[in-house]
Amino acid sequence: MDVIQLALGAGILTLLYALYLVFRVIKSPAGDTKMQDISKAIQEGANAFLFRQYKTLAPIVVILAIIIGYGVNVPTAIAFFAGVLSSALAGYIGMQISVRTNVRVAEAAKKGLKPALDLSFKGGAVTGMALAGLGLLGVSILYVYYGDLAPLIGYGFGASLISLFARVGGGIYTKAADVGADLVGKVEKGIPEDDPRNPAVIADNVGDNVGDCAGMAADVFESFVVTVIAAMLLGLTLSATVFVEIPLAIAAIGTISGVIGSFFVGIGPVKKIMSAFYRALLVSVIIMVIGTYVYLTGLSNLDIPATSLFTAVIMGVVTTLLLFMISEYYTSTEHKLVREVAKSSQTGAATNLISGLAIGMESTALPVLLITAAIVISFKVAGLYGVGLAAAAMLSLSGIVIAIDSYGPITDNAGGIAEMSGLPAKVRKVTDALDAVGNTTKATTKCYAIGGAALGALALFVAYAEATHLTIINLLDTPVVIGLFIGALLPFVFSSLLMLAVGRAAFEIVEEVRRQFREIKGLMAGTGRADYAKCVDISTATALKELALPGALAVLTPLAVGFLFGPAALGGLLAGVIASGLMLALTMTTAGAIWDNAKKYIEEGNLGGKGGETHKAAVVGDTVGDPLKDTAGPALNALIKVVNTVSLVFASIIVAQSISVI
């Protein structure tokens, strides 16, 4: 079968499967009127945020498209716009299904764990399959239409840009609301996380959707398409056209494998929720490995042996599985590290923070060694093309991985709806069990996304070197050293901006929640009604106001370095941002997840349970970790990709126009 036909067919089939899942979810019972009213409030808040976010970004997108069309070429500008639309659509689909599945999962939880798990996973699978299907169609159609890979770089840049803004805006929103709700509700008032008396509770639930669904979908969508495009670009350096198309074929095989694997979550009794997800992922991997082997061994007259290419694919797949296992070990309540952090809360918030941060730093070691091993082996068997192929194989499993991830915010919202609508304790017990695993799945997916970003960015880095004719980047060259230091600095400054933004927004939420508890008569007693809309509006306005500076920093810094110091200096910047961003992202996301699950471990009745001093100390750790794991950490994936794609888009202009002040 022709590779383009395979990719187009796989994309269409995957989107049809996503549509089928939508019908299955929507047909499920949505609970009583009170539950539906709460769900509707979450939907309205999420839609309002996303609409205002896209409206804010529209002028920026138009200006950049004009600049690219004038400075580079019109096809790249059109592809850039298509990448923007595709990434935005992936996020929109993810959020729309999430805000409709949550209430249905709360209703299904009345029947037990298995029905609730099955439905929440189906909702998450819509997001995963939709983004994979859209990615395959977008890359395939543009490749066929233009017959050239150059415009596809614009497509990747557009997807990366929207991913950056979705991660930044959604991350600031969700964590401002979450931190504000926790600090006043849990610490000051001693009420449960999703208590309807808390004025920030709706904003908190909205944040789960705009951050963890819309943001993550856009994030992994751009990682998927950018990595496939980067591997295809590396294929241009080889003699046969087939090397350009192999990454696209592997992406198609991996996506279809994910569709098949998704059916295995609901098979058999549910003894451990995470085991059901591992089963689905493992089936997907096995099918992909078999399919890839059949495809590669069927090719003939290759410069690189099929067995070598297959080895590179295996390295990408193995990296995915091991990153999942490593991340689960560090962040699951089932393992000792989270329990050690929870235990450290017995002596106060300070020791909780120290131990969580220490383990977060430690958690960089195994993923980095694993990624390094994958690079070494892939390069050994198939050169730089093998590294790109390993990255493409890793991201080809995006559909099933995001299905597992998007399950998390759905179950989090379901628990909130159960609490706010006063459902029986047995229902909340089911949703709490789902949510505890959801925290782990979100952490494992972030680790996967970070690892994929590192491998994909390395492929983009090589493509940039090819485009600028750089055969060596000399660390004894002053401009290169300048670029290296600026690149290493960029993730820290970028993260600082996001953390400060969350702090400012959370301050406003805390003040508003305190005001409502003071001024609304009977609110604490449960006879008064909180003004939820006010907190939603504060989170929305603050998040959108804070978008511009981090986005400008990501786009303008590489251009400034390239034009001022030359292509080699920009190469140094790319190396610095990849290495620094990878380490910082792993530290922040893991530490944040550890603090979150340490708090949940205590809330399960361990170490004194809810309300005690140990619990309050753990809540402080959780509030510190929230912007790390859900705002700054995940946004670094997009930062790394934006810096690399914008450098690649403007590479020819930088070569021709750089003034090299040193």
Side-chain angles (χ1 to χ4, degrees):
M1 180 186 289
D2 178 77
V3 169
I4 301 301
Q5 291 178 345
L6 173 64
L8 288 172
I12 293 170
L13 179 63
T14 306
L15 288 176
L16 289 174
Y17 176 56
L19 186 61
Y20 160 76
L21 291 174
V22 169
F23 285 125
R24 289 290 303 272
V25 169
I26 298 301
K27 283 177 62 179
S28 302
D32 57 35
T33 303
K34 187 174 183 180
M35 294 169 65
Q36 292 181 42
D37 286 344
I38 295 167
S39 179
K40 187 178 179 182
I42 296 171
Q43 288 181 40
E44 290 173 352
N47 284 327
F49 173 80
L50 214 58
F51 176 77
R52 287 171 64 177
Q53 184 183 51
Y54 291 160
K55 187 178 178 181
T56 302
L57 296 179
I60 300 172
V61 169
V62 171
I63 291 169
L64 280 172
I66 293 170
I67 292 172
I68 293 170
Y70 180 78
V72 184
N73 56 55
V74 173
T76 301
I78 294 172
F80 164 77
F81 196 68
V84 166
L85 291 178
S86 298
S87 185
L89 183 58
Y92 179 80
I93 291 171
M95 194 201 71
Q96 291 299 328
I97 192 62
S98 176
V99 296
R100 286 165 174 76
T101 309
N102 52 17
V103 67
R104 291 169 169 82
V105 171
E107 178 67 16
K110 295 177 182 178
K111 300 177 183 177
L113 183 63
K114 186 174 173 61
L117 171 63
D118 181 63
L119 189 61
S120 55
F121 178 75
K122 281 185 170 66
V126 173
T127 305
M129 301 310 161
L131 76 85
L134 285 171
L136 284 173
L137 287 181
V139 173
S140 303
I141 291 171
L142 287 171
Y143 180 56
V144 170
Y145 183 76
Y146 288 113
D148 183 13
L149 283 180
L152 266 69
I153 301 170
Y155 185 74
F157 177 40
S160 297
L161 189 70
I162 290 300
S163 166
L164 178 70
F165 284 121
R167 268 305 189 190
V168 169
I172 293 170
Y173 182 110
T174 182
K175 290 306 108 180
D178 196 359
V179 170
D182 280 359
L183 285 179
V184 182
K186 288 185 177 180
V187 177
E188 295 182 9
K189 297 296 183 181
I191 59 178
E193 180 172 356
D194 294 304
D195 195 298
R197 293 173 290 179
N198 193 325
V201 69
I202 294 294
D204 186 10
N205 281 279
V206 169
D208 292 332
N209 295 290
V210 300
D212 289 327
C213 279
M216 179 58 89
D219 183 359
V220 175
F221 173 83
E222 66 90 10
S223 290
F224 177 64
V225 298
V226 165
T227 303
V228 171
I229 291 168
M232 294 172 74
L233 286 168
L234 292 179
L236 288 174
T237 62
L238 302 173
S239 59
T241 305
V242 68
F243 288 109
V244 175
E245 297 180 346
I246 286 174
L248 192 55
I250 288 171
I253 294 168
T255 299
I256 293 299
S257 300
V259 171
I260 298 170
S262 68
F263 287 99
F264 286 80
V265 169
I267 292 178
V270 181
K271 295 180 180 178
K272 289 185 69 176
I273 298 171
M274 202 67 190
S275 297
F277 293 145
Y278 273 122
R279 181 169 59 242
L281 183 61
L282 191 59
V283 168
S284 302
V285 163
I286 291 171
I287 294 171
M288 180 192 165
V289 166
I290 294 171
T292 302
Y293 180 79
V294 171
Y295 167 72
L296 290 175
T297 54
L299 300 175
S300 57
N301 300 320
L302 296 176
D303 294 344
I304 303 173
T307 52
S308 297
L309 298 176
F310 182 66
T311 301
V313 170
I314 290 295
M315 290 314 304
V317 169
V318 168
T319 300
T320 297
L321 287 173
L322 291 181
L323 282 177
F324 255 73
M325 295 171 67
I326 291 168
S327 184
E328 187 198 357
Y329 170 71
Y330 274 99
T331 60
S332 173
T333 56
E334 298 292 321
H335 298 295
K336 67 175 184 178
L337 294 177
V338 167
R339 298 183 181 192
E340 286 177 2
V341 173
K343 187 176 180 180
S344 71
S345 306
Q346 293 176 313
T347 51
T351 45
N352 170 281
L353 293 170
I354 291 168
S355 58
L357 186 59
I359 296 173
M361 291 177 177
E362 177 198 308
S363 72
T364 59
L366 289 177
V368 169
L369 291 174
L370 175 62
I371 291 168
T372 302
I375 291 171
V376 169
I377 296 172
S378 300
F379 181 80
K380 188 86 172 174
V381 297
L384 290 171
Y385 181 72
V387 177
L389 207 57
M394 184 176 175
L395 269 298
S396 71
L397 293 165
S398 293
I400 187 65
V401 170
I402 293 303
I404 295 170
D405 171 83
S406 295
Y407 145 94
I410 289 172
T411 58
D412 195 350
N413 268 204
I417 292 170
E419 180 78 35
M420 285 183 278
S421 58
L423 295 184
K426 67 175 185 178
V427 175
R428 188 63 207 243
K429 185 177 180 181
V430 171
T431 59
D432 282 349
L434 294 170
D435 185 30
V437 175
N439 274 338
T440 301
T441 62
K442 286 186 285 186
T444 55
T445 305
K446 285 165 189 165
C447 188
Y448 163 82
I450 293 164
L455 278 174
L458 182 60
L460 287 171
F461 178 69
V462 174
Y464 168 79
E466 292 285 340
T468 53
H469 310 293
L470 288 172
T471 56
I472 189 169
I473 296 178
N474 185 3
L475 287 178
L476 298 178
D477 186 17
T478 299
V480 172
V481 174
I482 291 171
L484 183 68
F485 274 99
I486 293 174
L489 171 67
L490 188 56
F492 287 88
V493 176
F494 180 81
S495 298
S496 172
L497 291 173
L498 300 191
M499 297 286 286
L500 289 171
V502 171
R504 286 190 290 267
F507 179 84
E508 291 189 42
I509 293 290
V510 167
E511 289 298 299
E512 174 59 24
V513 173
R514 285 172 175 168
R515 182 195 68 79
Q516 291 195 35
F517 273 116
R518 283 195 313 267
E519 299 179 6
I520 297 178
K521 188 176 180 180
L523 181 56
M524 190 62 188
T527 56
R529 179 176 173 81
D531 183 1
Y532 302 124
K534 183 65 176 175
C535 290
V536 170
D537 186 65
I538 290 172
S539 291
T540 301
T542 309
L544 296 180
K545 184 175 67 177
E546 301 283 358
L547 277 175
L549 187 54
L553 190 71
V555 174
L556 297 180
T557 302
L559 295 179
V561 169
F563 284 119
L564 288 175
F565 301 108
L570 182 51
L573 181 142
L574 298 181
V577 79
I578 292 169
S580 170
L582 171 63
M583 307 302 170
L584 191 58
L586 285 170
T587 297
M588 291 195 293
T589 53
T590 306
I594 288 168
W595 281 318
D596 192 349
N597 273 349
K599 176 203 68 177
K600 279 190 164 46
Y601 177 72
I602 294 169
E603 290 175 345
E604 289 169 359
N606 302 295
L607 303 175
K610 294 182 182 179
E613 292 303 313
T614 301
H615 180 232
K616 288 182 179 180
V619 170
V620 173
D622 179 35
T623 55
V624 173
D626 274 340
L628 293 177
K629 71 180 175 64
D630 290 327
T631 307
L636 288 175
N637 301 339
L639 172 71
I640 292 169
K641 295 293 184 60
V642 165
V643 169
N644 277 271
T645 52
V646 74
S647 301
L648 197 50
V649 166
F650 290 96
S652 60
I653 303 175
I654 289 169
V655 170
Q657 303 295 332
S658 62
I659 59 176
S660 299
V661 295
I662 292 182

